[in-house]
Amino acid sequence: MPVERGSGRIEKGPDPAQKIEGDTKMRFLLYTVDGDASAPPSPQMIDEVGKFTEETRRAGILLATGGLAPASTRVRSSKGTVAVTDGPFTETKELTGGFALIEVKSKDEAIEWAKRFRKIVGDGESVIQEVFGG
């Protein structure tokens, strides 16, 4: 059956992100992109996020979680030369949130977990990206 996606084009067949065959699992990296870092989280929010994290562990979907440091290092190669540059970089100020690597049955399930997280932490943006391999 045709499925209309946000790009405006029509795709035939099932969504590849919806492959569910028995115990087939998909991995997704969820991370926050919050450019306007406001005040530190309240003790209540920290408690709620802790409970949510524990729930993902009990559900067996959480593979890893952590925070991202505001500074980073870039390694680039060009024409056989490798350069290393220490940050912080202007654009990475948006990526100072945390991340979670989860394993679920579908992209829709990953979206539902991300929506629940956003309801706890409030305004901002989370990115969901499928992880392939390993």
Side-chain angles (χ1 to χ4, degrees):
M1 147 160 88
V3 177
E4 189 171 334
R5 295 280 170 209
S7 65
R9 69 174 206 247
I10 303 292
E11 299 176 3
K12 295 193 182 220
D15 181 351
Q18 299 299 317
K19 296 180 243 172
I20 303 174
E21 298 174 10
D23 284 341
T24 300
K25 300 274 182 149
M26 304 170 72
R27 291 181 181 172
F28 292 91
L29 179 64
L30 285 61
Y31 58 94
T32 58
V33 182
D34 294 327
D36 296 329
S38 56
S42 69
Q44 178 184 357
M45 183 188 295
I46 291 171
D47 185 53
E48 288 179 42
V49 169
K51 289 176 184 175
F52 178 76
T53 302
E54 185 55 37
E55 183 181 350
T56 61
R57 281 193 179 106
R58 282 193 314 270
I61 67 160
L62 185 63
L63 301 178
T65 188
L68 299 174
S72 59
T73 300
R74 292 186 178 167
V75 179
R76 296 180 186 213
S77 63
S78 177
K79 300 177 184 174
T81 302
V82 177
V84 177
T85 308
D86 289 327
F89 302 99
T90 315
E91 63 275 15
T92 59
K93 68 182 179 181
E94 295 180 349
L95 297 176
T96 57
F99 75 92
L101 180 61
I102 62 172
E103 189 171 60
V104 293
K105 292 181 181 178
S106 68
K107 183 177 182 179
D108 286 340
E109 185 179 354
I111 290 169
E112 288 306 311
W113 283 103
K115 285 167 60 175
R116 289 184 57 202
F117 175 77
R118 291 296 345 161
K119 285 180 183 178
I120 293 169
V121 299
D123 293 346
E125 180 179 349
S126 293
V127 176
I128 301 168
Q129 193 163 3
E130 187 171 0
V131 176
F132 296 105

